[in-house]
Amino acid sequence: MTAAKLIHTHDLVKTYPVADREFIALKNVNIDIGKGEFAGLVGPSGSGKTTLLNVIGSLDIPTSGSVSVLDHNIGALSHKQAAKLRNHHIGFIFQTYNLLPVYTVFENVEFPLLLLGKGTEERKKMVMDALDWLGLTEKAEMRPAQLSGGESQRVAIARAMVKKPALILADEPTANLDAKNSHHILKTMEKLNAELETTFLFATHDEKVMQYMKRIISLEDGEVVKDETK
Amino acid sequence: MIKFLLIGILRDRSRSLFPILTVLIGTALTVTMTGYMGGVVPDMIQLSSHLDAGHVKLMSQSFYENRHQMPLDLALDDADGLIETLDAQFPDMMWKARTRFGGLLDIPDENGETRAQTTVSALAADLISPNSTELDYLNLRESVVEGALPQDPFDVLIAQAMAKSYAINVGDQVTMMTSTVNGSMSFQNFRVAGMVVFGIAALDKGGAIITDIEGARIALDMNGGSTEILGFFKDDEYNGERALVVSDWVNNNLKDVNDPYTPIALRFEDSNEFGAMMQYMGSFMFIISAVFILIMFIVLWNSGLMNGLRRYGEMGLRLAVGEEKGHIYRTLLLESSLIGIIGTIFGTAIGLIGVWMLQEYGIDLGNMTANTGDGIYYPNVIRGKITPACFYIGFVPGLIAPFLGSLVSGRGIYKRQTASLFKELET
Ligand SMILES: Nc1ncnc2c1ncn2[C@@H]1O[C@H](COP(=O)(O)OP(=O)(O)OP(=O)(O)O)[C@@H](O)[C@H]1O
Ligand SMILES: [Mg+2]
């Protein structure tokens, strides 16, 4: 294991209490993801993809085993430390409810920078750069309801990348999009991955998405059953 | 961040409109109530002091002790002399002798035979000496609806209601049968100079008759005396502390414990139920305000919970972006404080309009205002007054209620596990 390992899990187990017993959502997951990877978690519904992403994203903690992300031990982080890790280093993209509906495209992308305490001028520059990157400059003053699904997802990518995080976690980012838009989104992410060396980890069961992945980690019933690098 | 929250409040009407309306209604009512009290209480003090209690009232010790029987024989026998002393001692005050007495009014027919008789309560005050303030303080100039003000010590004014029921006309002779200070019977003829409607239900309902103090002194054989002396600050502003200085001086310097006719002085708030009433009103206001705050709190707490449910997606997203739970909670508090401020500003403005209308137009409660019998008079037309308190009082409930509301409703979000809060946005 080298310093290039961005994510490292060791015998990661996640269980949920269901009725009077424990439901095992993740079973001894051992994976390593290096800097600059473009990897996908695939598997049937309920196989634990979202659960794994959430633990890696420090939104949830492991029941046992360990997860380290950027040399932070997720299980040992306080709420504050976890928030700080997400704020500085991790970008999220979800399937739905990605944008705050009352705010404009500009304001949505600006939000993480506001939390980082950046000054007005710097924020403006960074937001406009990110929007430019995603071809959204024209839409800056629009509200999410006025955007198409593909545009909304691009805004979500802009928000995830505006702070130039080391890691972007994307949970079914194309599930609501048609083939053309999916393609466009994934191309954009590939470009980000190539130019900024941003590490991407996806969760998907969409065959079309899998084609773009350079590495596919298959989950079944919470277990890693296959891990292939193209 | 405040700008960010303000944008959210202004754009998301469903988030802000209902809470703002709640705060608006609550503060508008609070401000209106404050303005109402601010108008009614001074009006009540002025009216009651003018009509009955003065700012300071002097009576003889024994008259005071038996005041409910109005014992004329216990009146101050040298009221005029006392007034001279008091005038010299307190140049910022003026003093008026008044006498209250009861009797039987005999209404004769054209032959001079008794046509009707009725008991009356009479008030004697200085009605005819030039520059006497009594005509104004008793509001007689405006109250005379028929006839004219008295010109002669034996002219009287009578309540119009009584005049109507006994078919008395202006210019008629009436006879007052009463007993003098010495206990002997007295019959005095008076001429009805005018009829009055006070606009104060308590006065208009009873059989009231108003005579000049000199005429009454002759009828009652009490030269230079009176049952009471009322002292008024010349600026007509009652102030309990100033009044206390005056009553203390009288009680320390003029009082002679061995003399039953010794004068004693009572402040406005001590000579009637006013003190107790102010306390009562104070606690009433306090309870009303507390109830307002409580209702607003419950409403805002609930709408905070509803908003919390509706905004799970937003909360989850903000958590994912790296906002701390504590920070989200604090922004919720800040947000509700902003909502409180906005609601209070509008509520105060509306409340002020309400008070202004009360001030300009008043509400005529007419016969609803009954005399409580404790020497406190309410004007028939209730008027509010825009006092300085009207401008800031709304902020107390307007800020406390929404803050407490989201303090409680926000706890749920705060206590929730990040992951489960977050999961709800996926469903
Ligand atoms: N909070 C929870 N309590 C109980 N069980 C849970 C909880 N969260 C997830 N699970 C269970 O864990 C399992 C894995 O869920 P997860 O959301 O990770 O699946 P997934 O692979 O993302 O599925 P999909 O493709 O449908 O999104 C599921 O069976 C789910 O019911
Ligand atoms: Mg999932």
Side-chain angles (χ1 to χ4, degrees), chain B residues 63 70-75 99-101 179-181 220 222 227:
Chain B
F63 182 89
M70 291 200 281
L72 269 185
D73 52 325
L74 300 177
T99 294
R100 287 174 190 280
F101 60 101
S179 62
T180 69
V181 279
L220 303 172
M222 55 189 309
T227 55

Side-chain angles (χ1 to χ4, degrees), chain A residues 93-190:
Chain A
I93 300 165
F94 309 104
Q95 173 182 340
T96 52
Y97 204 93
N98 250 317
L99 304 176
L100 303 172
V102 294
Y103 298 100
T104 62
V105 167
F106 184 96
E107 288 157 353
N108 265 284
V109 178
E110 185 188 22
F111 183 65
L113 303 177
L114 214 56
L115 293 178
L116 284 171
K118 302 249 187 250
T120 317
E121 283 309 308
E122 194 183 2
R123 287 204 305 267
K124 188 165 179 201
K125 190 179 173 304
M126 290 172 83
V127 173
M128 290 320 285
D129 278 354
L131 291 180
D132 188 37
W133 231 89
L134 288 140
L136 289 165
T137 314
E138 310 277 281
K139 314 277 177 193
E141 292 311 315
M142 286 195 178
R143 299 266 290 274
Q146 298 166 289
L147 302 175
S148 72
E151 285 164 347
S152 295
Q153 276 319 55
R154 265 150 63 206
V155 176
I157 298 171
R159 190 198 49 221
M161 67 150 290
V162 68
K163 57 192 178 187
K164 310 247 160 64
L167 174 64
I168 290 182
L169 301 174
D171 195 353
E172 319 265 14
T174 60
N176 284 340
L177 301 180
D178 58 23
K180 189 165 151 262
N181 270 309
S182 301
H183 172 74
H184 192 87
I185 293 286
L186 283 154
K187 277 288 164 206
T188 312
M189 298 206 205
E190 270 185 344

